[in-house]
Amino acid sequence: MTTDTVTKPRNPYWQLWRTTPKEVLYLILGFPIAITGFGVAMSLVATGIGTLAVFLIGFFVMILALYVGRGFGLAHVNLLEWTGRARLERPDWQDDRAATGFGGWLAATLGNAHYWLYLLHTTILGFILTIITWTISFVWLTVGLTGIFAWALDGEVQTGDPDWSIGEWSFGLFGVNTAGWNPVIADNIVAFVIGLIFIATLPFVTRGLVLTQWWLARGTLTAFKSDGLRREVQSLEESRGAALSAEGHSLRRLERDIHDGPQQRLVRLQMDLAAAERQLDTNPDKARQLLTEAQAQSAEALEELRALSRGFAPPLLLDRGLVAALESVAARAAVPTTLTSDLPIPLVLPGEVERASYFVVAELLTNVAKHAHAGHASVRLLTEQTDGRPWLLVQVTDDGQGGAAVLADHGLAGIEERVRGVGGRLEIESPAGGPTTVTARLPLPKLSADRAPVDL
């Protein structure tokens, strides 16, 4: 017998109370932090402006002020997110540009609008708003707690006029005659009700004040749209450089392989044919032997050319797709290899992603056969959503000795360049003793939902 569990809807009011303690702590702690940031930053700004003419010392003091504004601004953003507010995207501080030299450092700080906005927030905008929100939250909390615990404090609400009672005045508004009442009890009842109202409405007040701070931070302390474009351009430049490097590496390797293999055999073939032609009339048996050797040389040269042609996209990949092509690679691998595909069906992969996946698997399996001393390897294809975008994951695992790493001018370095050339990244897990898992993450266009995976 089974029973269905009915989930009761949560009370929105009590949901507000879940983050109220953090919001109160943020609003209270924000005041001393804002005062400290204002004092330090304004002192540096004033010193920097006053010393601009003294051997340009003012420039460095202003840069220090910008770094102080950056630090206090980031602390403010982190505290906001700690209260449960939505994450704010961090700006592009151009630290990579600052690391290029003195000129780049000056341009990345003095010429970066984010630094000036953070300084403006620390010295003026955030400082003023923090004073306002701190005052409101402090008064609201103080009135609420004082009213609730008034009966335990002094026993009577002091108004400055001994003939006027807040209890009598409040009850009189509702037509209640308090003649003969104890004024202390009446005052405490009214204070308790007022305190209860303030405490009951505290979550709405703190949420509104924190959201006000969040909206100000969203307008001044977050990344620009141009930051994302800059990172995208930088990523594309790195991918283009990696693609060019991988292409150059492949061409040099192909040129070397042709020179060391088929070219040498073809030269030998030409020499054997010339010698056979000279011996054809005088020594037919010798000529026949030379022709037999030439035939063997031509067969070996043809086989080597076929092997080299596997470095290009095979017709099977173009005709039947990635999975069929990798099945062929796995069947030809020197180490027994299994292929598992968890790709959604139907899924059309971009041509450059298919080619990169094919070559990555082929080269990784070659490395496994040469260096891993493995008894078995496996290849797995799957898709994954990361950072809001879909990725194709190509995983090659072996049970070899482990210790694989990317070294300059070695096999994994060329594979990494190929992966980066299409905008992806290579991840290696290879502890000493194995096993080794190499994962190529390749970017995909947006996938349609509700597609079931399939195992091959």
Side-chain angles (χ1 to χ4, degrees), residues 77-283:
V77 170
N78 291 330
L79 283 174
L80 270 175
E81 294 176 352
W82 174 73
T83 63
R85 299 305 95 217
R87 186 183 185 279
L88 298 172
E89 185 180 358
R90 301 301 190 267
D92 181 8
W93 296 109
Q94 302 181 19
D95 292 331
D96 54 341
R97 184 180 182 185
T100 59
F102 182 73
W105 175 63
L106 287 179
T109 50
L110 294 175
N112 191 338
H114 289 299
Y115 278 100
W116 295 101
L117 283 174
Y118 268 62
L119 183 62
L120 179 65
H121 184 276
T122 301
T123 55
I124 300 178
L125 300 179
F127 174 69
I128 294 174
L129 183 59
T130 299
I131 292 177
I132 296 173
T133 57
W134 178 85
T135 302
I136 295 174
S137 60
F138 182 78
V139 169
W140 209 274
L141 186 62
T142 301
V143 171
L145 294 177
T146 302
I148 289 178
F149 296 103
W151 57 272
L153 297 176
D154 197 10
E156 184 178 1
V157 179
Q158 301 295 330
T159 63
D161 184 358
D163 298 327
W164 187 85
S165 169
I166 188 174
E168 294 178 355
W169 177 81
S170 301
F171 283 107
L173 292 177
F174 296 95
V176 179
N177 186 5
T178 59
W181 285 29
N182 187 332
V184 175
I185 296 178
D187 289 350
N188 287 337
I189 292 175
V190 173
F192 180 81
V193 173
I194 293 176
L196 194 62
I197 293 174
F198 271 72
I199 293 298
T201 55
L202 181 64
F204 301 101
V205 174
T206 58
R207 179 61 59 87
L209 296 177
V210 171
L211 282 177
T212 304
Q213 289 277 13
W214 185 85
W215 280 107
L216 177 63
R218 186 174 184 268
T220 57
L221 304 181
T222 54
F224 301 148
K225 291 183 178 179
S226 58
D227 292 345
L229 293 176
R230 179 180 179 272
R231 286 192 292 268
E232 186 69 21
V233 169
Q234 183 179 4
S235 176
L236 291 175
E237 289 179 349
E238 292 177 353
S239 298
R240 179 177 177 272
L244 292 176
S245 178
E247 181 182 2
H249 178 76
S250 299
L251 289 175
R252 289 191 299 272
R253 184 181 63 182
L254 181 62
E255 180 182 9
R256 182 180 64 251
D257 292 343
I258 291 176
H259 178 272
D260 295 340
Q263 181 175 327
Q264 299 299 324
R265 296 191 181 279
L266 291 175
V267 170
R268 173 69 183 278
L269 173 62
Q270 184 181 20
M271 295 174 61
D272 287 346
L273 290 176
E277 184 179 6
R278 290 194 298 270
Q279 299 289 337
L280 189 60
D281 294 330
T282 59
N283 193 348

Side-chain angles (χ1 to χ4, degrees), residues 286-446:
K286 180 65 174 177
R288 189 178 297 106
Q289 179 183 356
L290 291 174
L291 289 175
T292 302
E293 294 177 358
Q295 184 179 6
Q297 293 290 338
S298 66
E300 292 177 1
L302 180 60
E303 183 61 30
E304 289 188 354
L305 287 174
R306 286 174 177 172
L308 290 175
S309 68
R310 296 191 185 105
F312 302 97
L316 185 62
L317 177 64
L318 302 177
D319 297 338
R320 298 183 55 190
L322 178 62
V323 175
L326 292 184
E327 286 178 339
S328 176
V329 172
R332 298 195 314 266
V335 176
T337 303
T338 58
L339 172 67
T340 302
S341 175
D342 295 327
L343 298 181
I345 292 181
L347 174 62
V348 178
L349 297 175
E352 63 275 11
V353 172
E354 280 193 333
R355 289 191 295 272
S357 302
Y358 176 83
F359 290 128
V360 163
V361 172
E363 294 174 16
L364 285 175
L365 290 179
T366 300
N367 283 350
V368 169
K370 288 182 178 179
H371 310 294
H373 303 289
H376 183 268
S378 62
V379 179
R380 185 184 179 196
L381 304 175
L382 66 154
T383 58
E384 181 180 88
Q385 286 280 344
T386 306
D387 300 330
R389 65 180 303 179
W391 298 82
L392 171 66
L393 272 61
V394 181
Q395 294 181 337
V396 177
T397 304
D398 68 77
D399 58 0
Q401 61 186 359
V406 176
L407 301 176
D409 298 327
H410 285 71
L412 288 178
I415 296 174
E416 184 181 42
E417 287 183 346
R418 186 183 294 277
V419 172
R420 289 175 55 199
V422 293
R425 59 180 183 268
L426 193 70
E427 301 172 355
I428 301 174
E429 296 181 7
S430 184
T436 296
T437 299
V438 181
T439 303
R441 292 179 175 269
L442 306 174
L444 292 176
K446 187 175 180 59

